[in-house]
Each structure stands twice: as structure tokens, then as C-alpha cells.
């Protein structure tokens, strides 16, 4: 639900007709690469049903896909009912968006959602929408598929840390993480000031949860239950300490497969006619049946085939986990059925931010020019603005601005595209921002990007007493002042629609 809601609210601005990276241009370039044909190679490179739709109104296509996915997933969430057909539709819809989303959908949780959703297809009955369908108990193969997923997620995250930044081995990464993570929340502000020994303990616990606990899955029922409990508690702590989109919420899902009916039975009523009683009657009835329906045998064949497919696709994933050159958040097949994961393999020691500023001055080099700042939805900007609580929602532009801050604008051409849209005061693009300093006025004549170093103020200190959550120091220009006329050739060279 959250993923499709984010897509509906932000896709048009990011990959729509006038988006920062239009998906129509992306699909056209893929089609051109494959000699102008929509063939099997093009479909394998970017699997999406958008290939077969009318591209004349891409914004409507993106909206329809998002709204259909939102409606279907909300039905599953609210009713507690699903079948293989419905889950397959959800998986296909999100796959279609991810594969045209370019860098805006380059996060590991996109592939993780697709893999979790693919497993969910086989967890459900074929047609029935009953909460307790006849002859469709969850297959052990599918349950182990979920356990195998959480094992890879956590072990991959642990190994990439140990092999990556030395601060993880030195147990000092948590000295920086809360302040330098993509979008901190208010709790991170206070956790950052924890004593040094607490940060060392956090790093040790992280290594234990990610490198040792995953193996509990294979050590019998009780250890498997302990694994599920520890992983869920760990994810809850991560949710409280940062805005990592729906990643941690999503990671709780495969951990649920570590529990069995006996361990979860207390959650359901013992009253006559309740779920527990109905399930017991169903199990007795099925145990007395001498011959299972044909569908049950077909389903067993499907489940075994599914298990063999997952095993085969896991080969490159296992090899990657064993490799000293491990990569994280990578898909080895275009359908993203079995992927490799990881998180925070390196930790930035200083937080830098790109601040976009506009001026109405005729001369951007005039010392008297007044530059006014644009505020983003959630990323740090104004020093007195409280860090936000947003998880599990996700502002894609804010996250990419975090990545852009420790790269160059040449590596992130979309940021110049964003500047042009702000110069034209395009309402669609402005909806991605929290404030427009030129609202109700003439558009700015110039936009520039300034590079700042940010750090948390000290709780209880002088700056905090004045209402400042952040302190900052200017590092220099990120990109020079640009105006709309000067960007015309830049837009033409990239076939981007010129903002009006």
C-alpha cells in the first residue's frame, strides 16, 4: 500500500511526461538500443507492461498502474484475503514501475518488495479469497523461501559491513550514523549524543544480529522462534531511529515465517466458532480424507518447481555472499525474484547537503543579491526545522539529494533539470518541495546550488536553546547560478521538455 501510494504521489514529477527523468525517454533509448524493436531482448532488459500500452499520455499510465496497485493491495490489507492471481497482479504492477523508475527506484527495498511479493504469490490459494481456504495450507517450501530471504537480507547486510568500512570493524560507525544517515528523525538527534561505550555496544549488537542470529533459523524450532523475535525487535529499533522508507517494515514480513501455529495461537480467540476452532475442524476433516483433490497434487508440483527455481536462482547470490568483492542490493535476473542485499556498507563521517537557492536579482554575482532557499519535504535544510518522522513513507527526491551531496552535479544531471523547473515555477515539481520562497511572486531569475556541511546541535546547548536542531558551515558552490535561457541547449541535448 505504501509503495503504490508513494508511486501515485511522486511518479509524475519524477518519471512522468515532464518528470526529472522521463520514463518515456528511457524506454525509447532501450528500444533504440535493441534496433527499434520491442523484442524479447528489450523485454528482458526492462520487463514492464508499459511496453504494450499507449505512450501518448504517460502520466495517466503511471497513475492507473499506481491506483490499481493501491486498490488491490488495500483490499488485501483490509480484508485479509488474497489469492495467487491477485498477488501476481500486484507483483507485476510494481515490477512494471520499478523497471522504468531508473535511479528513483534504485533502492534495495524495491527489489526486496518484489521478492517478498513473489513469495507471497505461492503462499496463497489459487482462486479462493477465503481467509481460511480449504486444502491450501502454506507450503513448507514457501515458508522456507521466506526464511531463506530473511537469512540473506541480514547476513548480506552484516558481511558488507565487515568487508566494507573499517569503522564497522573498529566499532566506531555508530558515532556517525545517526547524524549522517539519509533522513534523520528527532530520536536520532538524541541518540547521536549517546556515550561512546553505548555506540560500541550498538555496533556489537548489530554484528551479532546480522552475522550470528541468521544461522539460528537452521538450529531447530526454538532457535528459529528466537531468530524471528530478535529480528523483529531489531527492525522496530531501526524504525524508531531513522526514516529508512518501508525497508524495516518490509523486513519484518519474512521474519514472521519463523513462527508456527503453536507460537502464534495466543493471538486468536478460543471462542466457539472462532478461527482456532474452525481450523481444528478443518484439519480433522482433511486428515480423514482418503483422497486429496487433484488441485492439491497440482499445487504440490507447483511448490516443488518453485523451490527448485529459488534454489537455482540462489547460486549467484550465494557466490556473491562468499566473495570478498561482495556487492549489495543487486538483482541477477531482470524479474528480481532472488536478489542480494546489504545496507550501510560504508558510513559517511560528515553530513553535507545541497541547498537550492533562487534570486530575483538581474545579476547573480551582485553582492547585494538576495538569495532565498527552497525547503524540501524532509531532508535537513532550515536550521530550526525539527527532523521529520516519515517512515514507512518515502520521499524519493530527498533521498537522491542526500546521494547528490557527496557526488557532483555532473554525476546527477537531474538536479540541473530540477533547477530549470524551479526557474519556471512548475507546480508539479514544486509539489515535491515543502516551501517555495517565490510563491505568489514572479519566478526567480537565477537558481544556484550551495554546498554546506551540517551537524546536529548539542541538546541543551546554546544553539538548541535558540531552537536550532542543526548547525551548518558553507563549503562552497555545488553548481553555479543558472537561468532558464542558459539551460535551453542543455535541455535540447537530453530531449527534455523545456519548462514553461
Amino acid at each position: 500500500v505504501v509503495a503504490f501510494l508513494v508511486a501515485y504521489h511522486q511518479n509524475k514529477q519524477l518519471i512522468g511526461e515532464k518528470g526529472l527523468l522521463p520514463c518515456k525517454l528511457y524506454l525509447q533509448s532501450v528500444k533504440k538500443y535493441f534496433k527499434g524493436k520491442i523484442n524479447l531482448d528489450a523485454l528482458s532488459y526492462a520487463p514492464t507492461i508499459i511496453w504494450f500500452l499507449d505512450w501518448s499520455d504517460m502520466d495517466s499510465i503511471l497513475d492507473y498502474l499506481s491506483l490499481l496497485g493501491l486498490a488491490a493491495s488495500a483490499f488485501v490489507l483490509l480484508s485479509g484475503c488474497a489469492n495467487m492471481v491477485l498477488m501476481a497482479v500486484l507483483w507485476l504492477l510494481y515490477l512494471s514501475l520499478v523497471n522504468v523508475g531508473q535511479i528513483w527506484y534504485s533502492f534495495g527495498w524495491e527489489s526486496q518488495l518484489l521478492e517478498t511479493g513473489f513469495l507471497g504469490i505461492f503462499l496463497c490459494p489459487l482462486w479462493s479469497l477465503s481467509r481460511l481456504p480449504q486444502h491450501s495450507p502454506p507450503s513448507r517450501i514457501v515458508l522456507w523461501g521466506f526464511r531463506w530471504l530473511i537469512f540473506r537480507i541480514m547476513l548480506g547486510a552484516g558481511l558488507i559491513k565487515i568487508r566494507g568500512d573499517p569503522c564497522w570493524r573498529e566499532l566506531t560507525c555508530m558515532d556517525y550514523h545517526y547524524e549522517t544517515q539519509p533522513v534523520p528523525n528527532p530520536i536520532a538527534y538524541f541518540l547521536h549524543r549517546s556515550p561512546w561505550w553505548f555506540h560500541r555496544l550498538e555496533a556489537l549488537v548489530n554484528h551479532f544480529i546480522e552475522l550470528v542470529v541468521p544461522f539460528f533459523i537452521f538450529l531447530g524450532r526454538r532457535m528459529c522462534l528466537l531468530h524471528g523475535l530478535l529480528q523483529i525487535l531489531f527492525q522496530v529499533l531501526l524504525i524508531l531511529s531513522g526514516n529508512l522508507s518501508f525497508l524495516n517494515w518490509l523486513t519484518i514480513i519474512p521474519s514472521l515465517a519463523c513462527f508456527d501455529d503453536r507460537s502464534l495461537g495466543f493471538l486468536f480467540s478460543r471462542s466457539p466458532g472462532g478461527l482456532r476452532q474452525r481450523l481444528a475442524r478443518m484439519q480433522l476433516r482433511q486428515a480423514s480424507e482418503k483422497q486429496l483433490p487433484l488441485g492439491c497434487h497440482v499445487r504440490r508440483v507447483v511448490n516443488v518447481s518453485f523451490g527448485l527455481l529459488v534454489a537455482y536462482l540462489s547460486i549467484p547470490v550465494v557466490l556473491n555472499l562468499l566473495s570478498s568483492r561482495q556487492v549489495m542490493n543487486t538483482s541477477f535476473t531482470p524479474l528480481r525474484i532472488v536478489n542480494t542485499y546489504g545496507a550501510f556498507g560504508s558510513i559517511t563521517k560528515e553530513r553535507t547537503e545541497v541547498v537550492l537557492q533562487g534570486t530575483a536579482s538581474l545579476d547573480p554575482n551582485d553582492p547585494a543579491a538576495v538569495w532565498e532557499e527552497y525547503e524540501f519535504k524532509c531532508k535537513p535544510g532550515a536550521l530550526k526545522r525539527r527532523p521529520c518522522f516519515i517512515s514507512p513513507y518515502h520521499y524519493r527526491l530527498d533521498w537522491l539529494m542526500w546521494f547528490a551531496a557527496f557526488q557532483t552535479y555532473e554525476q546527477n544531471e537531474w538536479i540541473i533539470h530540477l533547477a530549470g523547473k524551479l526557474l519556471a515555477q512548475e507546480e508539479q515539481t514544486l509539489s515535491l518541495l515543502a516551501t517555495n520562497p517565490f510563491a505568489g511572486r514572479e519566478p526567480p531569475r537565477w537558481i544556484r546550488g550551495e554546498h554546506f556541511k551540517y551537524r546536529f546541535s548539542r541538546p541543551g546547548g546554546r544553539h538548541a536553546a535558540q531552537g536550532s536542531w542543526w548547525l551548518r558551515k558553507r563549503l562552497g558552490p555545488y553548481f553555479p547560478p543558472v537561468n532558464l535561457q542558459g539551460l535551453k541547449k542543455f535541455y535540447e541535448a537530453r530531449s527534455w521538455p523545456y519548462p514553461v
Side-chain angles (χ1 to χ4, degrees):
V1 169
V2 173
F4 282 114
L5 187 63
V6 171
Y8 177 66
H9 282 159
Q10 300 176 34
N11 271 357
K12 293 187 293 295
Q13 300 91 316
L14 299 176
I15 59 174
E17 295 278 357
K18 295 183 179 180
L20 295 175
L21 292 173
C23 66
K24 182 189 292 187
L25 295 180
Y26 172 73
L27 289 174
Q28 287 172 345
S29 66
V30 172
K31 185 177 176 182
K32 183 179 179 181
Y33 180 81
F34 293 106
K35 301 178 181 179
K37 298 178 181 178
I38 304 175
N39 52 23
L40 190 59
D41 291 332
L43 286 171
S44 298
Y45 185 83
T48 173
I49 58 176
I50 296 178
W51 285 117
F52 308 105
L53 303 177
D54 181 8
W55 297 359
S56 61
D57 189 359
M58 190 61 78
D59 285 355
S60 294
I61 289 176
L62 294 172
D63 275 353
Y64 291 148
L65 294 180
S66 302
L67 287 173
L68 181 58
L70 182 60
S73 55
F75 169 79
V76 174
L77 176 67
L78 297 174
S79 69
C81 304
N83 58 32
M84 295 182 76
V85 176
L86 189 55
M87 296 300 289
V89 167
L90 282 170
W91 176 78
L92 180 61
L93 288 172
Y94 203 66
L95 179 75
S96 296
L97 293 176
V98 168
N99 283 320
V100 299
Q102 303 158 83
I103 61 170
W104 308 108
Y105 282 79
S106 60
F107 308 108
W109 53 77
E110 315 294 357
S111 295
Q112 188 176 325
L113 180 56
L114 287 171
E115 181 171 352
T116 307
F118 189 79
L119 287 167
I121 296 172
F122 298 88
L123 193 68
C124 301
L126 177 58
W127 293 109
S128 172
L129 283 175
S130 168
R131 290 187 179 184
L132 200 62
Q134 295 278 355
H135 303 295
S136 297
S139 166
R140 287 179 179 268
I141 294 174
V142 180
L143 291 176
W144 273 103
F146 279 104
R147 294 174 184 175
W148 175 231
L149 171 59
I150 188 63
F151 176 84
R152 286 182 287 113
I153 291 171
M154 302 312 297
L155 187 62
L159 290 174
I160 202 72
K161 290 181 176 69
I162 291 296
R163 291 167 173 160
D165 200 317
C167 72
W168 285 114
R169 298 188 293 275
E170 297 163 1
L171 307 182
T172 59
C173 274
M174 298 306 294
D175 294 349
Y176 316 101
H177 167 72
Y178 293 117
E179 184 176 68
T180 63
Q181 63 179 307
V183 185
N185 67 16
I187 295 177
Y189 173 81
F190 295 100
L191 285 173
H192 177 65
R193 297 298 179 181
S194 301
W196 67 268
W197 59 265
F198 184 77
H199 288 316
R200 304 298 182 275
L201 179 62
E202 286 180 308
L204 275 173
V205 169
N206 183 92
H207 292 330
F208 175 71
I209 293 292
E210 294 184 341
L211 292 170
V212 178
V213 172
F215 292 95
F216 288 6
I217 288 176
F218 309 107
L219 300 180
R221 177 180 180 269
R222 290 185 178 180
M223 295 301 283
C224 189
L225 292 175
L226 179 60
H227 170 275
L229 182 63
L230 289 175
Q231 294 296 1
I232 290 173
L233 289 174
F234 183 59
Q235 297 307 318
V236 170
L237 290 174
L238 294 177
I239 289 168
L240 293 174
S241 63
N243 292 299
L244 300 177
S245 183
F246 50 79
L247 171 63
N248 307 119
W249 302 77
L250 178 63
T251 306
I252 289 174
I253 303 302
S255 300
L256 298 178
C258 296
F259 301 93
D260 55 19
D261 289 357
R262 187 155 40 124
S263 62
L264 297 177
F266 73 94
L267 295 173
F268 301 94
S269 171
R270 293 177 177 271
S271 62
L275 184 68
R276 292 178 66 168
Q277 191 178 83
R278 286 191 290 127
L279 178 59
R281 285 200 299 264
M282 181 186 295
Q283 289 174 334
L284 285 172
R285 187 167 57 251
Q286 291 180 3
S288 64
E289 290 180 356
K290 296 181 179 179
Q291 188 172 2
L292 291 173
L294 177 62
C296 290
H297 297 290
V298 173
R299 189 176 182 86
R300 285 181 178 177
V301 173
V302 171
N303 287 334
V304 170
S305 302
F306 164 77
L308 293 173
L309 174 65
V310 170
Y312 173 73
L313 295 177
S314 296
I315 294 173
V317 174
V318 172
L319 293 176
N320 178 65
L321 286 174
L322 296 175
S323 172
S324 59
R325 296 184 177 183
Q326 176 193 359
V327 294
M328 65 180 190
N329 298 328
T330 299
S331 302
F332 296 98
T333 60
L335 296 180
R336 308 189 189 216
I337 296 173
V338 181
N339 314 290
T340 188
Y341 302 100
F344 294 106
S346 62
I347 296 289
T348 51
K349 308 303 186 293
E350 294 183 343
R351 180 177 203 95
T352 58
E353 292 287 348
V354 178
V355 176
L356 300 182
Q357 301 174 339
T359 182
S361 175
L362 293 173
D363 181 6
N365 299 314
D366 183 356
V370 177
W371 291 91
E372 300 177 74
E373 297 185 3
Y374 290 86
E375 280 290 318
F376 286 75
K377 296 278 191 181
C378 208
K379 89 175 190 70
L383 302 183
K384 293 187 177 182
R385 192 175 76 162
R386 178 179 65 83
C388 66
F389 267 119
I390 194 62
S391 175
Y393 198 75
H394 179 38
Y395 291 122
R396 298 187 182 279
L397 179 60
D398 290 45
W399 268 73
L400 266 293
M401 289 295 293
W402 178 75
F403 282 107
F406 46 84
Q407 298 173 336
T408 65
Y409 74 88
E410 291 92 348
Q411 294 171 292
N412 299 275
E413 291 184 339
W414 56 266
I415 203 169
I416 305 299
H417 197 177
L418 174 61
K421 290 178 176 296
L422 297 181
L423 287 163
Q425 293 210 129
E426 279 195 1
E427 289 187 13
Q428 192 177 70
T429 301
L430 285 167
S431 70
L432 293 173
L433 305 183
T435 63
N436 171 21
F438 296 89
R441 297 156 49 191
E442 288 295 310
R445 288 190 172 93
W446 299 89
I447 294 283
R448 71 181 183 185
E450 291 288 281
H451 210 184
F452 286 88
K453 175 184 173 183
Y454 272 67
R455 61 186 178 89
F456 280 138
S457 65
R458 182 173 292 277
R462 176 170 57 90
H463 297 286
Q466 297 170 354
S468 294
W469 291 81
W470 296 97
L471 306 175
R472 76 181 187 184
K473 177 183 178 182
R474 183 178 182 271
L475 299 176
Y478 184 79
F479 64 82
V482 294
N483 63 11
L484 205 50
Q485 184 62 32
L487 291 176
K488 196 165 188 176
K489 290 185 178 179
F490 182 85
Y491 273 70
E492 291 174 352
R494 289 153 184 81
S495 300
W496 289 341
Y498 189 67
V500 179

